[in-house]
């Protein structure tokens, strides 16, 4: 009696485990009519394919320190089995003397050889003598076989990892644990439902076992074993499944490796904001647990118990059982104190452990907005200056010259500012005499030399031309189709000018184009010198105003005349000199 009460007390642990109905504990042990009920076995039903053999061990004896079958037998306790068919609540004693001998009892185990659909439901095993009683229920589910490979067995598959290139013996699950009737048995193996998969030497059936001598990726998948035996004149079988996975070879290093934090890696942090520290770990396959975790000053997030610290982990990759894991330590409201702490990421598997420390560095303050504005303004100003320069470059050049340019008159002893060379008896002659000369002399105040006007009669033309050109600072060549023809005065002037320029005698040749000129309009000498010379184009009406581009461009090329010179010049002149139309 005392023994039984003790037993019941110690069983309370077991009740929790099997998830029994709490009402069961209220049972009385004083009378046989009231039996101690442990409820139904908690961890699910036993499943079997219809037509296969199965067995149900009485779960009372799965805790031998409470119920021991041998001692129970010795104490004269009886084990009785009841069946409650599904959908009913009538407990029917099982008839072990039925002529078909399908159901039998072997010590604490109930055998169904084979199981049929009527066997569905609850099985209760009851241990009792005249004064004491205990019972427990277990559920049996008989299912129809499914045509697919996974449906060949009703019991969940067993996972087996085999290293690539390695070997392994596969044993049919339950075969060694169950005591088959004293007869011979055979085991048939299938890989993905194929019984003929074991033709080569890599995989071989040896006795009951399947031996994988050398593992390859293609040998992964679902293996079945069907155990066939005979009893009481019947052939019986049961099927089990093994899910085989290839894992990385035993030959490769198995120690955990921390990819981040790497040796030189720096984690930038910002005070007052959220900081994520990411740790990436390579955890090669080993049996047993594999872990990754962060420590802060040697404490895990749980030990630290600071709500600002949390971590999340995820599996980045699984490759032949090797894991790449990422664990992120999130720190809210990062403070300067946090900057001084030691952050270590660690990983462990059965073969070893690795730790790496994260180096934190405060991010330099980058005034991005201010910097952006500054850059924007600079760029804008540059753009404005670019545009201004392109529109007003002539004016700017003139202005610059008037401030910083040197007056050539003080550095040489030449007589004329400009010598105008042109084709005689041409349209351009009018332009030279009426417009060019007048503006240059009267309005801009240059001293102009025009051979036909300034030469003295009776002199040698050649000598005089050379002398005039030599005494001028600029040679203004007014281009026209007939300019520089063989033997003309103009050709002589041009040659003298180009020579003088080439010899560095303070003379520059400037081309003025009155009318657009075809390529053939260029005299041979000019064609060669063209690239080195400045060409100023007369634009018709547009150029007649003194403020037009033509005159400004010309002024840039001509010797410097300061504003005060002009004013003096104006005063000494009787013609009113405004910016008026010239033609
Ligand atoms: C059950 O009891 C018998 C004898 O009392 C003992 O030999 C046996 O080891 C016990 N079994 C278990 C599993 O404790
Ligand atoms: C019934 O079994 C209990 C527990 O083993 C034992 O204490 C009791 O003496 C047995 N009663 C009889 C009548 O054998
Ligand atoms: C099992 O059978 C063999 C012969 O087939 C026999 O020698 C042996 O005693 C038997 N064992 C049992 C427990 O019946
Ligand atoms: C298992 O037994 C059942 C019923 O006897 C039979 O139909 C089935 O073919 C057997 N399976 C194997 C693989 O022997
Ligand atoms: C076998 O195991 C792998 C993982 O190890 C799983 O992805 C696969 O679904 C399993 N196959 C079956 C049929 O259970
Ligand atoms: C930190 O990671 C979380 C997700 O885990 C994300 O929502 C958050 O934006 C990240 N913070 C920073 C500063 O990167
Ligand atoms: C953190 O890791 C470094 C090496 O990376 C190690 O020297 C240090 O002892 C570790 N600190 C703790 C608290 O584990
Ligand atoms: C945080 O890390 C611990 C190990 O330090 C781990 O047990 C826990 O599951 C992680 N939390 C999350 C959300 O991943």
């Amino acid at each position: 009696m005392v023994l039984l009460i003790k037993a019941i007390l110690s069983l309370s642990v077991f009740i929790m485990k099997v998830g029994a109905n709490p009402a069961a504990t209220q049972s009385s042990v004083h009378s046989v009519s009231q039996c101690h009920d442990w409820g139904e076995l908690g961890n699910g039903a036993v499943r079997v394919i219809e037509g296969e053999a199965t067995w149900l061990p009485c779960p009372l004896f799965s805790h031998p320190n409470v119920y021991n079958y041998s001692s129970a037998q010795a104490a004269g306790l009886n084990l009785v089995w009841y069946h409650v068919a599904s959908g009913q609540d009538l407990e029917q004693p099982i008839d072990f003397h039925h002529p078909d001998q399908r159901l039998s009892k072997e010590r604490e185990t109930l055998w169904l050889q084979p199981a049929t659909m009527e066997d569905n439901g609850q099985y209760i095993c009851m241990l009792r003598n005249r004064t004491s009683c205990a019972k427990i229920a277990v559920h049996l589910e008989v299912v129809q076989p499914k045509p697919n490979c996974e449906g060949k067995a009703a019991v969940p598959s067993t996972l087996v990892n085999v290293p690539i290139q390695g070997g392994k013996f596969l044993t049919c699950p339950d075969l060694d644990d169950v005591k088959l009737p004293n007869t011979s048995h055979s085991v048939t193996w299938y890989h993905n439902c194929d019984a003929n998969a074991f033709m080569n030497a890599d995989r071989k059936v040896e006795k009951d076992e399947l031996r994988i001598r050398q593992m390859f990726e293609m040998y992964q998948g679902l293996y079945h074993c069907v155990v066939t035996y005979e009893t009481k004149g019947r052939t019986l079988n049961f099927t089990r499944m093994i899910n085989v996975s290839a894992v990385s070879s035993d030959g490769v290093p198995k120690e955990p490796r921390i990819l981040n934090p790497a040796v030189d890696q720096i984690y930038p942090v910002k005070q007052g904001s959220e900081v994520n520290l990411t740790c990436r770990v390579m955890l090669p396959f080993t049996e047993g647990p594999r872990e990754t975790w962060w420590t802060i000053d040697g404490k895990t997030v749980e030990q630290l118990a600071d709500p600002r610290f949390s971590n999340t982990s995820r599996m980045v990759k699984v490759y032949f059982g090797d894991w790449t894991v990422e664990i992120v330590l999130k720190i809210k409201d990062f403070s300067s104190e946090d900057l001084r702490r030691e952050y270590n990421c660690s990983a462990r598997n059965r073969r070893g452990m690795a730790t790496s420390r994260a180096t934190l560095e405060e991010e330099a303050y980058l005034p991005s907005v201010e910097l952006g504005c500054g850059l924007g303004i600079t760029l804008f100003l540059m753009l404005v200056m670019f545009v201004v320069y392109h529109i007003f470059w002539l004016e700017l050049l003139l202005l610059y010259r008037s401030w910083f340019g040197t007056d050539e008159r003080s550095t040489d002893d030449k007589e004329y500012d400009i010598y105008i060379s042109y084709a005689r008896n041409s349209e351009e002659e009018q332009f030279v005499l009426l417009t060019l000369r007048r503006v240059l002399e009267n309005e801009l105040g240059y001293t102009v030399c025009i051979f036909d006007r300034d030469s003295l009669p009776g002199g040698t033309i050649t000598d005089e031309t050379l002398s005039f050109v030599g005494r001028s600072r600029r040679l203004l060549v007014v281009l026209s189709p007939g300019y520089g023809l063989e033997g003309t005065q103009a050709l002589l002037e041009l040659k003298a000018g180009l020579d003088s320029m080439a010899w560095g005698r303070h003379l520059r040749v400037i081309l003025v184009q009155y009318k657009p000129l075809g390529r053939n309009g260029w005299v041979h000498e000019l064609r060669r010198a063209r690239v080195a010379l400045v060409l100023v184009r007369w634009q018709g009406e547009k150029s007649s105003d003194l403020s037009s581009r033509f005159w400004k461009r010309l002024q840039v090329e001509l010797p410097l005349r300061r504003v005060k010179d002009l004013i003096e010049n104006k005063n000494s002149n009787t013609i009113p000199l405004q910016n008026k139309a010239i033609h």
Side-chain angles (χ1 to χ4, degrees):
M1 195 60 207
V2 175
L3 196 78
L4 190 66
I5 291 171
K6 259 188 177 171
I8 286 165
L9 283 176
S10 64
L11 257 177
S12 53
V13 180
F14 178 60
I15 298 164
M16 298 307 162
K17 278 195 173 149
V18 296
N21 183 355
T25 52
Q26 296 170 354
S27 68
S28 160
V29 289
H30 294 291
S31 114
V32 179
S33 63
Q34 273 183 306
C35 193
H36 189 96
D37 188 354
W38 296 108
E40 191 177 300
L41 189 65
N43 46 0
V46 173
R47 285 161 56 91
V48 63
I49 299 269
E50 185 190 13
E52 290 201 342
T54 192
W55 58 91
L56 298 172
C58 179
L60 278 180
F61 302 106
S62 52
H63 294 262
N65 54 336
V66 184
Y67 292 109
N68 176 326
Y69 184 77
S70 313
S71 355
Q73 285 295 105
L77 287 149
N78 246 335
L79 184 66
V80 193
W81 285 90
Y82 295 92
H83 178 220
V84 185
S86 42
Q88 297 178 11
D89 33 53
L90 190 66
E91 289 182 17
Q92 277 189 315
I94 291 171
D95 179 11
F96 292 114
H97 303 290
H98 194 277
D100 73 0
Q101 291 189 308
R102 216 170 45 80
L103 304 178
S104 61
K105 193 168 73 163
E106 186 74 30
R107 284 171 61 90
E108 75 270 36
T109 304
L110 172 70
W111 280 85
L112 297 91
Q113 302 181 103
T116 65
M117 285 320 262
E118 296 95 70
D119 296 334
N120 257 313
Q122 216 178 33
Y123 287 81
I124 296 162
C125 63
M126 185 184 282
L127 189 64
R128 69 169 179 201
N129 63 8
R130 272 193 291 112
T131 54
S132 85
C133 168
K135 64 175 183 179
I136 190 162
V138 56
H139 203 90
L140 178 74
E141 200 182 327
V142 185
V143 298
Q144 297 277 356
K146 290 204 193 85
N148 62 357
C149 241
E150 286 83 12
K152 292 278 184 281
V155 179
S157 60
T158 311
L159 271 172
V160 171
N161 295 306
V162 186
I164 282 183
Q165 304 281 326
K168 194 115 180 180
F169 283 98
L170 300 184
T171 313
C172 196
D174 296 339
L175 179 60
D176 288 348
D177 302 332
V178 75
K179 281 201 180 64
L180 289 174
N182 190 16
T183 57
S184 63
H185 66 263
S186 66
V187 181
T188 320
W189 286 90
Y190 301 84
H191 178 211
N192 292 331
C193 283
D194 179 8
N196 301 318
F198 314 110
M199 292 304 197
N200 64 19
D202 288 343
R203 292 179 293 177
K204 251 189 156 165
V205 178
E206 290 185 2
K207 288 197 197 146
D208 293 348
E209 295 177 319
L210 176 69
R211 181 176 181 187
I212 300 179
R213 288 165 178 271
Q214 201 173 16
M215 181 65 184
F216 289 103
E217 189 182 351
M218 60 189 173
Y219 296 161
Q220 295 187 111
L222 217 49
Y223 288 76
H224 293 91
C225 50
V226 180
V227 178
T228 311
Y229 64 94
E230 262 177 62
T231 188
K232 294 163 195 153
R234 269 198 201 101
T235 303
L236 291 155
N237 60 35
F238 61 87
T239 308
R240 294 292 180 266
M241 288 192 300
I242 302 178
N243 184 356
V244 172
S245 292
V247 295
S248 57
S249 159
D250 282 335
V252 303
K254 293 286 186 184
E255 288 74 25
R257 206 149 43 85
I258 298 186
L259 310 173
N260 304 102
V263 180
D264 303 325
Q265 189 175 353
I266 292 199
Y267 288 82
V269 296
K270 226 193 249 173
Q271 282 192 30
S273 70
E274 185 184 86
V275 165
N276 284 346
L277 304 180
T278 302
C279 173
R280 235 173 210 261
V281 176
M282 166 76 181
L283 271 169
F285 174 82
T286 55
E287 300 287 347
R290 289 182 265 176
E291 299 168 289
T292 312
W293 69 96
W294 275 105
T295 57
I296 304 103
D297 285 340
K299 287 182 182 150
T300 64
V301 173
E302 285 79 10
Q303 288 164 345
L304 194 69
D306 183 334
R308 291 189 304 120
F309 289 75
S310 61
N311 64 272
T312 53
S313 60
R314 73 183 179 100
M315 186 73 75
V316 178
K317 200 171 92 179
V318 180
Y319 184 73
F320 289 118
D322 295 348
W323 293 352
T324 306
V325 182
E326 197 177 88
I327 176 162
V328 179
L329 177 67
K330 191 158 89 179
I331 309 160
K332 283 192 201 133
D333 268 336
F334 197 82
S335 65
S336 55
E337 220 169 278
D338 294 332
L339 193 60
R340 286 194 290 274
R341 295 175 118 146
E342 187 185 51
Y343 300 89
N344 275 10
C345 180
S346 305
R348 176 168 51 205
N349 65 8
R350 208 160 156 181
R351 287 286 277 277
M353 182 172 155
T355 299
S356 177
R357 184 174 175 178
T359 311
L360 272 56
E361 205 173 271
E362 185 146 28
E363 229 172 23
Y365 172 71
L366 255 187
S368 52
V369 173
E370 291 86 336
L371 208 68
C373 281
L375 199 68
I377 289 169
T378 309
L379 280 175
F380 177 75
L381 284 179
M382 279 171 70
L383 189 73
V384 167
M385 282 164 70
F386 184 79
V387 169
V388 163
Y389 176 76
H390 267 257
I391 295 175
F392 300 108
W393 67 274
L394 267 178
E395 286 78 357
L396 287 171
L397 215 56
L398 283 171
L399 200 65
Y400 175 85
R401 254 168 55 109
S402 74
W403 284 344
F404 303 109
T406 48
D407 194 335
E408 287 169 51
R409 283 176 297 186
S410 56
T411 58
D412 62 26
D413 51 357
K414 297 204 172 183
E415 198 173 322
Y416 301 102
D417 287 319
I418 304 156
Y419 183 105
I420 304 182
S421 166
Y422 59 97
R424 275 61 173 181
N425 306 319
S426 66
E427 200 180 333
E428 280 77 7
E429 185 166 17
Q430 297 300 306
F431 166 66
V432 169
L433 299 177
L434 293 181
T435 308
L436 207 52
R437 183 203 58 80
R438 188 176 57 79
V439 173
L440 289 176
E441 280 191 334
N442 298 346
E443 312 231 351
L444 298 177
Y446 289 108
T447 46
V448 177
C449 174
I450 293 173
F451 186 85
D452 298 11
R453 181 190 70 180
D454 299 330
S455 64
L456 296 169
T460 323
I461 291 182
T462 314
D463 290 348
E464 269 202 87
T465 304
L466 292 181
S467 154
F468 275 129
V469 171
R471 282 181 286 153
S472 302
R473 297 187 177 94
R474 299 286 185 275
L475 177 73
L476 220 59
V477 172
V478 182
L479 297 171
S480 64
Y483 182 83
L485 287 183
E486 204 61 47
T488 59
Q489 165 73 16
L491 184 65
L492 189 64
E493 292 164 350
L494 176 66
K495 278 185 173 166
L498 290 176
D499 280 352
S500 204
M501 189 168 164
W503 288 105
R505 293 191 190 125
H506 298 287
L507 179 126
R508 274 175 53 208
V509 179
I510 299 157
L511 305 179
V512 174
Q513 183 185 295
Y514 178 63
K515 272 192 168 169
L517 216 58
R519 202 178 141 67
N520 294 335
W522 292 81
V523 67
H524 178 69
E525 281 76 8
L526 270 181
R527 262 183 235 165
R528 272 195 304 180
R530 165 72 186 92
V531 281
L533 302 179
V534 174
L535 178 76
V536 187
R537 289 190 176 84
W538 177 262
Q539 314 244 309
E541 266 312 296
K542 261 206 302 192
S543 303
S544 58
D545 197 280
L546 196 54
S547 64
S548 72
R549 213 177 160 75
F550 175 82
W551 294 109
K552 280 183 185 156
R553 187 88 178 75
L554 202 58
Q555 265 178 284
V556 167
E557 301 304 331
L558 295 177
L560 175 66
R561 280 290 170 278
R562 285 185 208 285
V563 182
K564 90 174 176 332
D565 304 343
L566 275 177
I567 293 167
E568 275 169 19
N569 205 304
K570 274 180 195 173
N571 292 346
S572 66
N573 215 307
T574 47
I575 313 160
L577 296 166
Q578 303 95 343
N579 281 359
K580 59 173 186 199
I582 291 151
H583 244 349

